[in-house]
Amino acid sequence: MSETSTPELIQVRTEGRVGIVTLNRPKQLNALNDQLMNELGAALKAFDADDGIGCMIITGSEKAFAAGADIGAMATYSFADVYKGDYITRNWETIRSIRKPIIAAVSGFALGGGCELAMMCDFIIAADNAKFGQPEIKLGIIPGAGGTQRLPRAVGKAKAMDLALTGRMMDASEAERSGLVSRVVPLDKLMDEALGAALQISQFSQMAVMAAKECVNRAYEGTLADGVMFERRLFHALFATEDQKEGMDAFVNKRAANFKHA
Ligand code: CO8
C-alpha cells in the first residue's frame, strides 16, 4: 500500500492520546509480510508526527501477536533477493526511528520476527497465554531482525542461546522472570493494562518522555560512561522546557500538572 491508502492487514485506532495498531492477518497468525510491515511503519510514523498522540500500542489477536515473518513468502527467496534486494528486512527499520514510546501488548504466539517486533517496542506487556521464541533454527535460518542481539540483552546469554539454538518457546511467566516482559496479566485484562500504561505515559511531558526513551535506549546500546553523560545532558536540557516549570510548580503547590505535550 502507499502511505496514504487504507491499510488492509492492520487496524488503526486512537483512544485519547494513545495510538493503537492491531495486526490483522488472523488466518496466518499475523505472519509478517512486506505489506503488513509497510502498513505498520506508515501507521507508526503518522502517530509519531501527530501532536495529539503521546504513546502507541502494537497488539495482535488472542492467538497470535505474530507467528513470525511470512514463511510462505520467504520460501523461494534466493541469496540475491534477500541480500541485494534487501527483501524481508528492508521495511523493518522504520520502527527503530519512532521517537514516542511503543508498548507491545502480546497475547498468544510471538515467534521469530514476531518476538523481534515485540522486542523492538519499548516494553512488552504480556497476557498469561503469551509464548515467545526464536524458532528460526528449525527452518534452517537464524533470526534476522535483531533477535540474536536484543534477546541476550533482555534475558542474558544462557537463555538467549537456549532459545535460539533449540527453537523452544518460553511461556509468559518464564518471560517475566527472565526480564523479557515488564508485566504479565490475565488475557482478558491485556488491553486494559496496556492502555492504562499508555494513557498514563501520554499525559506526561512529551519532551521528557522522548528524552527518557532516548536515554534508556542509550543504556541498552552504549557504554555506561557515555550513557551517564548523555543522560546528564538531556536532564539539563529539560530545564529549558515549560513542562519542567509546570511539573515542579504543580508539585510544590499541591495541584495536578497540566503538561503541554506539543
Ligand atoms: N508464516 C506464514 N504462515 C504462518 C506462519 C508464518 N510464520 N505461522 C503460521 N502460519 C499459518 C500456517 O501456515 C497456517 O496456515 P493454513 O491454515 O493455511 O495452513 C495458519 O497460520 C495457522 O497455523 P497452524 O495451523 O500451524 O497453527 P497451530 O496452532 O497448529 O501452530 C504455531 C501455531 C506453533 C505458531 C505454528 O503455526 C508455527 O510453528 N508457525 C511458524 C513459527 C515460525 O517458525 N516462526 C518463525 C518464522 S521465520 C522468521 O520469523 C524470520 C524472521 C526474520 C525477520 C527478518 C525481518 C527483518
Side-chain angles (χ1 to χ4, degrees):
M1 82 156 201
S2 76
E3 299 210 349
T4 50
S5 60
T6 310
E8 294 166 345
L9 303 182
I10 60 169
Q11 292 170 341
V12 179
R13 68 188 173 95
T14 59
E15 193 78 53
R17 290 178 41 77
V18 175
I20 303 167
V21 180
T22 305
L23 310 182
N24 189 31
R25 271 191 99 196
K27 285 196 189 125
Q28 296 82 10
L29 303 184
N30 292 330
L32 305 165
N33 63 9
D34 256 6
Q35 182 184 342
L36 190 152
M37 292 308 295
N38 284 336
E39 291 179 2
L40 176 63
L44 296 177
K45 268 166 73 174
F47 283 145
D48 214 30
D50 182 347
D51 281 341
I53 296 296
C55 189
M56 302 165 216
I57 297 173
I58 303 177
T59 194
S61 68
E62 285 190 7
K63 181 160 184 198
F65 177 74
D70 190 319
I71 301 170
M74 290 187 291
T76 58
Y77 285 165
S78 67
F79 172 72
D81 290 333
V82 296
Y83 180 71
K84 191 160 143 284
D86 202 16
Y87 288 14
I88 315 168
T89 42
R90 62 188 162 200
N91 48 12
W92 282 64
E93 289 302 308
T94 311
I95 298 162
R96 273 168 53 84
S97 70
I98 301 299
R99 299 186 65 203
K100 293 173 186 169
I102 310 174
I103 300 172
V106 174
S107 47
F109 298 109
L111 301 177
C115 186
E116 292 171 303
L117 174 60
M119 289 192 290
M120 282 183 186
C121 298
D122 296 302
F123 62 97
I124 302 172
I125 299 180
D128 50 12
N129 75 336
K131 287 195 183 333
F132 298 86
Q134 298 290 163
E136 288 90 341
I137 200 79
K138 297 180 178 173
L139 300 169
I141 56 168
I142 62 171
T148 63
Q149 304 304 301
R150 291 198 179 88
L151 195 58
R153 282 169 168 79
V155 305
K157 179 183 168 188
K159 213 171 268 290
M161 279 289 190
D162 178 357
L163 291 167
L165 293 176
T166 68
R168 79 170 174 89
M169 293 186 216
M170 169 160 86
D171 67 16
S173 87
E174 184 181 0
E176 187 183 31
R177 276 199 312 281
S178 55
L180 182 63
V181 312
S182 66
R183 315 178 190 183
V184 177
V185 294
L187 176 58
D188 63 349
K189 297 282 183 301
L190 177 65
M191 279 315 286
D192 286 349
E193 188 77 13
L195 195 54
L199 284 167
Q200 187 181 20
I201 291 166
S202 74
Q203 294 311 311
F204 294 134
S205 164
Q206 189 68 70
M207 278 196 275
V209 164
M210 286 165 66
K213 172 169 171 163
E214 273 190 274
C215 284
V216 174
N217 278 335
R218 198 73 170 213
Y220 200 57
E221 288 166 7
T223 66
L224 179 62
D226 283 349
V228 168
M229 183 53 72
F230 186 76
E231 178 196 75
R232 181 114 359 121
R233 291 292 169 256
L234 283 189
F235 174 75
H236 290 159
L238 289 171
F239 281 75
T241 66
E242 288 177 39
D243 283 339
Q244 174 265 330
K245 303 288 174 296
E246 169 62 14
M248 293 194 182
D249 184 74
F251 179 84
V252 169
N253 291 298
K254 303 190 187 307
R255 62 175 177 83
N258 182 17
F259 293 116
K260 285 178 75 69
H261 300 137

